[in-house]
Amino acid sequence: MNPEAGGKGFASVNQAPAVKRLRVLTVNTHKGFTAFNRRFILPELREAVRSTQADIVFLQEVLGSHDRHAARYPGWPQTSQYEFLADSMWSDFAYGRNAVYPDGHHGNALLSKYPIIEHRNLDVSITGPERRGLLHCILDVPGQHSVHAICVHLSLLESHRQKQLQLLRRLLESLPGDAPVIIAGDFNDWKSHGNRTLGLQRDLHEAFERHHGHLARTYPARLPLLRLDRIYLRNAESHGPRILGHKPWSHLSDHLPLAVEVRL
């Protein structure tokens, strides 16, 4: 199977009872290392992700391969990092390769307990060495015509982010107006300019802003000050958004993960 083809070919679950709630998690994996790359902790990260019992996991900065790391670190997985994280718990996965270099490549990934019936990785790189993408997946969720999930990791530069957000808005406008949409990931939007840009979208809301009046502080993980990570919803309601700031999460990446229950 081509690991970028999306999922493992499981049959449709449309005949199953209708699903009204989805548990969603988003985490920047920092390529399986602690902050400042001091320690390889992907196995610990997998156990932490599994403990959330999430139905859909949005991953950023996940390695598809890295030959030098594979030779250097004991316990480096034989598969890609997203397959290692999916393990036996998430039947389907999709990967969007963004950055390619001599030793390997990394990008965004989506893990799903429901079949991924279609996916595409949209290149939103602007100029220079930063390679960015929007991983757009369509999920076959029982009782729903389709659920759209978009995994996001935007540029460090404000001017690039604004252009990327316009591309994201264009993608949203192309989707069916009544379809549930979940957008999650690392927006790198530390001034919140991008949040205001997305706020212009009809019926789109950010889970933490709706429930707490402000975006979640997620970076750096040990002393979170910046509001970089987001979960936006359209045609769905958010319930109980949480920042996973307790141990072991505070040392598993340089970002804290976000979790929310999505009601369809």
Side-chain angles (χ1 to χ4, degrees), residues 18-24 55 114 141 144 239 261-264:
V19 170
K20 298 297 184 181
R21 301 181 182 188
L22 296 171
R23 290 166 295 188
V24 169
D55 298 303
Y114 301 102
V141 178
Q144 311 297 325
H239 177 74
E261 180 182 279
V262 174
R263 296 184 176 177
L264 303 172

Side-chain angles (χ1 to χ4, degrees), residues 4 6 57-59 62 93-98 107-111 116 118-124 132-138 148-153 171 182-184:
E4 296 184 46
V57 182
F58 294 73
L59 302 171
V62 62
F93 46 78
Y95 173 63
R97 179 169 53 186
N98 295 332
N108 298 331
L110 191 93
L111 315 181
I116 299 173
E118 184 180 336
H119 91 276
R120 55 179 172 162
N121 192 46
L122 304 177
D123 185 358
V124 293
R132 304 291 182 177
L134 303 175
L135 178 61
H136 172 213
C137 300
I138 304 176
H148 294 259
I150 305 170
C151 189
V152 173
H153 190 191
L171 169 60
I182 307 168
I183 310 165

Side-chain angles (χ1 to χ4, degrees), residues 6-263:
K8 298 184 179 179
F10 278 50
S12 172
V13 292
N14 273 333
Q15 302 307 312
V19 170
K20 298 297 184 181
R21 301 181 182 188
L22 296 171
R23 290 166 295 188
V24 169
L25 176 74
T26 180
V27 55
N28 183 316
T29 70
H30 201 238
K31 302 169 188 171
F33 290 87
T34 58
F36 306 111
N37 300 320
R38 289 173 177 163
R39 190 161 63 89
F40 174 63
I41 44 75
L42 191 68
E44 295 174 58
L45 179 63
R46 179 171 69 175
E47 292 308 306
V49 171
R50 287 172 66 90
S51 73
T52 68
Q53 299 289 308
D55 298 303
I56 307 172
V57 182
F58 294 73
L59 302 171
Q60 306 89 51
E61 282 194 39
V62 62
L63 283 169
S65 69
H66 199 293
D67 294 339
R68 183 162 51 88
H69 286 345
R72 179 179 179 184
Y73 293 99
W76 192 266
Q78 297 297 310
T79 63
S80 64
Q81 287 190 349
Y82 55 88
E83 289 177 275
F84 178 80
L85 291 169
D87 193 33
S88 59
M89 193 162 180
W90 290 275
S91 61
D92 277 40
F93 46 78
Y95 173 63
R97 179 169 53 186
N98 295 332
V100 181
Y101 29 82
D103 288 313
H105 50 86
H106 75 263
N108 298 331
L110 191 93
L111 315 181
S112 174
K113 291 184 179 179
Y114 301 102
I116 299 173
I117 56 178
E118 184 180 336
H119 91 276
R120 55 179 172 162
N121 192 46
L122 304 177
D123 185 358
V124 293
S125 307
I126 306 303
T127 57
E130 271 196 324
R131 312 309 300 171
R132 304 291 182 177
L134 303 175
L135 178 61
H136 172 213
C137 300
I138 304 176
L139 310 182
D140 184 8
V141 178
Q144 311 297 325
H145 180 65
S146 61
V147 174
H148 294 259
I150 305 170
C151 189
V152 173
H153 190 191
L154 299 187
S155 174
L156 296 169
L157 297 176
E158 177 70 36
S159 60
H160 289 191
R161 282 197 302 277
Q162 288 299 323
K163 293 177 181 178
Q164 289 161 351
L165 286 165
Q166 293 304 323
L167 294 172
L168 175 57
R169 289 182 63 181
R170 196 174 303 167
L171 169 60
L172 288 171
E173 289 166 359
S174 74
L175 302 182
D178 58 349
V181 181
I182 307 168
I183 310 165
D186 176 4
F187 283 73
N188 275 318
D189 181 33
W190 59 280
K191 290 184 177 180
S192 295
H193 292 166
N195 187 53
R196 289 189 283 275
T197 299
L198 283 180
L200 299 174
Q201 283 288 297
R202 180 177 58 86
D203 298 332
L204 190 72
H205 78 271
E206 203 285 326
F208 287 82
E209 189 172 48
R210 170 161 292 186
H211 288 268
H212 303 298
H214 52 74
L215 301 168
R217 295 183 189 271
T218 58
Y219 184 88
R222 293 295 180 94
L223 184 63
L225 299 172
L226 301 180
R227 309 178 193 273
L228 302 187
D229 300 87
R230 316 275 168 79
I231 300 174
Y232 292 94
L233 302 175
R234 190 173 81 180
N235 297 323
E237 291 300 320
S238 51
H239 177 74
R242 296 180 294 132
I243 305 170
L244 303 184
H246 51 78
K247 291 183 178 180
W249 294 107
S250 54
H251 76 272
L252 293 181
S253 174
D254 55 348
H255 288 245
L256 293 177
L258 301 179
V260 70
E261 180 182 279
V262 174
R263 296 184 176 177

